[in-house]
Amino acid sequence: MDFGSFAEGPLLWIVFSVFIIGILARVVFFFSLILKSSKNTHLRWRHILATFGRSLLPFHSAITKRPLYAALRYVFHICLIVVPIWLSGHITLWEESRFGWNWHALPDALADWMTLLLLLLAAYFLTRRIVVAEVRRISANSDYFLIVLTALPFLTGYLLTHGNLDAIAFLADNMRTIHVLSGEAMLIAAVLLFYRTQLNVEKCTGCAACELGCPTGTLESRDGGGLRVFTYSHYQCICCGACVALCPEQAAELRHEIGLERFLQTVPKQEIRSVELALCESCGAIVAPVPQVEKVRQVITDDFIRFCPKCKKRHSAEGFHQLAPWAKKLKKQISHQ
Amino acid sequence: MLLVDYEKCTGCRLCELVCSVKHTGASNPSRANVHVVKWEDEGFYLPMLCQQCLEAPCRSVCPTDAIYRDEELNRIMVDYDLCIGCKACVAACPFGAMGFDEAEKRVIKCDVCDGDPLCVRFCDMKAIDYVEATTSHFDKMRDASRNFAELMAKAHGQ
């Protein structure tokens, strides 16, 4: 058996099994972690389902924050899922396999257009990552790799059906193998693909509204030692975008993250951001994160923001106290001057 | 609006209890919207409430415009459908009247019980009283606050 038929035969079945087992394992981890987490005890499942369902709709509030990019991303993912499943060539293979499954196929012309659209969008995403400095700064190597890996099966598939590069002997002979291998690589990558909220350090004020909105308790924050630390558990994330939708500063962003080490890290708590906390000047209780205090100071110029609500009450009551008859002595002192 | 007369307050903190029972169902003064600040040695007690400011700091810092003014009852209200829980209002309020309820995970403030405040009903001394707000009250308040500001300025200038 040569390598080509191995890749199309046994290897494909191995990859499919790994894919299905991997997805099942992730579902199991997801449920066990959700049941363990103490957050949102009431109406939790309904909340999770509702938030997840809403995220699939095109006019989700996380999406309307960046409409053009979100629309492109939406189209990209539809093509990514629809084309491989409903392609007539793939369905024929399923029919020929031992399962004998068969379902309605997309018209070939439409599938071609969707493939081209996907390749165009992939090229756009890749260029955007390279060209736009703001995006380049937060991109890791795996981000580029992921786009290329996703586009490769589609590119090779398109070339395979249309035979554009058949003039090159090596490609003409091996295009089918390359297509199958890249498709297998994409399936494996899909198992290892996670989502991660990234909090933009320059914009995030550390208010932890994202934590309150997160339906699965993926994002958590803990205050201690003058710091508010945000942690993130990737297995719990359902990519619903609630954090992105809620963030008042547009600082939260959902990112892809790919890696075997994430998959093996089943009890995950990654620290994704820590913010310094402003402490009350008279009692030392937590007031708010420093960036948020700075932001409030731009609007409110009064001095009370140094204190916690309890001490603020005390301090403003002190003013009334001095006005009261009890403090007549003080009043006299002042009027004598 | 709620009027506070510190000379009548006995410091019994019943207002805190009934407020928390009404708003949270639990008798827990730390979750109430009114707090009595005490100077025990002088016998001076002062219930501190939301002032329902005309130009409310909480309203101006809110990033989602969830805090609005209800002209009918003359109060500042939180729209919990819009509120995201960022607690900017808690940090901004100069009177510390905006609180955060850890159990319900949301901000809490005095809503004058939709016109029938429970603290007023339970305060036998009528240290807290509910009066219909009119513009004449605002004039009085303005005069009082001017005096207050002058006094404070003198006191601090000393």
Side-chain angles (χ1 to χ4, degrees):
Chain A
M1 193 193 285
D2 67 333
F3 184 69
S5 51
F6 172 71
E8 281 175 46
L11 188 59
L12 193 62
W13 293 118
I14 293 171
V15 168
F16 270 128
S17 337
V18 168
F19 177 72
I20 289 166
I21 293 168
I23 296 289
L24 283 179
R26 283 181 59 167
V27 170
V28 170
F29 287 141
F30 170 76
F31 281 106
S32 61
L33 282 168
I34 293 280
L35 290 176
K36 246 196 286 177
S37 89
S38 56
K39 211 194 153 207
N40 295 344
T41 39
H42 61 288
L43 292 178
R44 194 171 53 188
W45 290 109
R46 238 176 70 191
H47 188 197
I48 291 176
L49 275 176
T51 328
F52 181 64
R54 224 177 296 140
S55 72
L56 296 177
L57 298 174
F59 299 106
H60 181 45
S61 51
I63 284 170
T64 45
K65 281 189 172 181
R66 290 159 75 195
L68 179 70
Y69 179 67
L72 295 181
R73 203 173 45 190
Y74 204 74
V75 172
F76 181 85
H77 283 96
I78 288 178
C79 294
L80 179 63
I81 293 166
V82 167
V83 173
I85 298 180
W86 280 279
L87 189 78
S88 60
H90 288 178
I91 295 176
T92 321
L93 290 177
W94 278 108
E95 211 175 354
E96 286 168 5
S97 74
R98 68 187 73 186
F99 297 107
W101 289 339
N102 185 12
W103 58 91
H104 280 291
L106 277 180
D108 280 349
L110 180 63
D112 271 355
W113 277 112
M114 285 175 87
T115 310
L116 284 178
L117 188 62
L118 182 135
L119 289 174
L120 198 71
L121 288 173
Y124 166 71
F125 291 145
L126 198 62
T127 341
R128 179 176 161 276
R129 266 204 193 286
I130 296 168
V131 174
V132 183
E134 196 185 315
V135 188
R136 188 175 54 219
R137 208 177 53 229
I138 55 170
S139 301
N141 285 338
S142 64
D143 292 319
Y144 302 106
F145 172 71
L146 194 65
I147 298 176
V148 173
L149 188 68
T150 315
L152 203 58
F154 290 85
L155 181 68
T156 51
Y158 188 82
L159 295 176
L160 183 68
T161 44
H162 293 262
N164 309 51
L165 292 180
D166 280 357
I168 306 166
F170 172 76
L171 287 181
D173 295 341
N174 294 304
M175 191 58 90
R176 200 182 155 97
T177 315
I178 297 172
H179 175 64
V180 173
L181 278 179
S182 59
E184 285 164 357
M186 194 179 79
L187 276 183
I188 297 292
V191 176
L192 304 180
L193 185 66
F194 290 94
Y195 316 100
R196 185 164 73 103
T197 306
Q198 187 152 323
L199 299 173
N200 189 323
V201 182
E202 283 163 26
K203 294 181 190 162
C204 175
T205 58
C207 70
C210 43
E211 185 205 6
L212 288 182
C214 182
T216 55
T218 304
L219 250 178
E220 281 177 320
S221 72
R222 222 182 41 228
D223 297 348
L227 284 177
R228 173 171 290 174
V229 178
F230 290 88
T231 53
Y232 189 78
S233 0
H234 55 269
Y235 262 112
Q236 272 159 269
C237 184
I238 53 173
C239 196
C240 67
C243 44
V244 184
L246 277 176
C247 183
E249 309 295 331
Q250 335 288 350
E253 221 180 311
L254 261 178
R255 301 281 309 278
H256 286 126
E257 196 181 44
I258 183 168
L260 185 62
E261 73 274 15
R262 286 271 169 276
F263 188 81
L264 298 176
Q265 191 184 354
T266 52
V267 190
K269 276 264 179 256
Q270 306 168 56
E271 188 184 320
I272 52 169
R273 173 153 168 69
S274 61
V275 199
E276 201 186 332
L277 288 168
L279 301 179
C280 175
E281 282 187 17
S282 60
C283 74
I286 294 160
V287 179
V290 171
Q292 190 176 29
V293 169
E294 292 305 318
K295 194 151 178 280
V296 170
R297 247 189 236 281
Q298 288 172 7
V299 186
I300 314 289
T301 45
D302 84 68
D303 234 15
F304 285 106
I305 198 159
R306 296 173 297 152
F307 303 118
C308 69
K310 239 183 200 165
C311 295
K312 276 186 204 169
K313 262 179 215 128
R314 186 91 205 171
H315 280 263
S316 51
E318 181 67 45
F320 295 107
H321 176 218
Q322 296 199 355
L323 275 181
W326 282 263
K328 265 182 186 149
K329 234 171 116 188
L330 178 82
K331 267 194 225 171
K332 264 185 201 153
Q333 256 182 8
I334 293 166
S335 57
H336 277 307
Q337 286 171 354
Chain B
M1 57 191 292
L2 288 163
L3 275 186
V4 172
D5 189 342
Y6 51 72
E7 289 185 26
K8 290 180 186 164
C9 183
T10 59
C12 69
R13 298 178 74 198
L14 192 59
C15 47
E16 294 183 15
L17 288 183
V18 294
C19 181
S20 63
V21 168
K22 160 111 192 198
H23 290 97
T24 67
S27 175
N28 180 353
S30 73
R31 294 170 72 183
N33 299 324
V34 52
H35 292 274
V36 182
V37 180
K38 296 189 179 188
W39 279 260
E40 300 273 11
D41 47 346
E42 297 174 29
F44 180 76
Y45 314 111
L46 181 62
M48 291 296 290
L49 284 155
C50 171
Q51 309 290 310
Q52 319 288 357
C53 311
L54 274 182
E55 281 177 29
C58 53
R59 194 180 167 195
S60 50
V61 296
C62 183
T64 56
D65 292 327
I67 299 181
Y68 62 96
R69 184 163 191 89
D70 178 4
E71 289 297 344
E72 198 187 330
L73 282 168
N74 230 305
R75 56 182 177 171
I76 299 283
M77 287 291 282
V78 181
D79 184 343
Y80 288 109
D81 291 335
L82 290 176
C83 177
I84 55 169
C86 71
K87 293 183 256 180
C89 46
V90 180
C93 179
F95 299 98
M98 189 64 89
F100 187 75
D101 189 349
E102 286 293 341
E104 298 260 335
K105 296 278 180 202
R106 62 179 200 177
V107 289
I108 45 170
K109 79 174 287 302
C110 173
D111 59 354
V112 273
C113 297
D114 302 321
D116 181 21
L118 215 58
C119 49
V120 172
R121 254 202 274 163
F122 275 79
C123 186
D124 283 339
M125 302 298 143
K126 288 287 164 284
I128 305 179
D129 206 355
Y130 185 71
V131 293
E132 293 292 326
T134 56
T135 41
S136 64
H137 279 112
F138 287 131
D139 290 340
K140 271 186 196 166
M141 278 162 73
R142 207 165 287 132
D143 289 344
S145 56
R146 198 173 296 129
N147 292 340
F148 180 56
E150 276 172 23
L151 192 71
M152 289 299 277
K154 275 184 189 169
H156 282 294
Q158 224 174 16

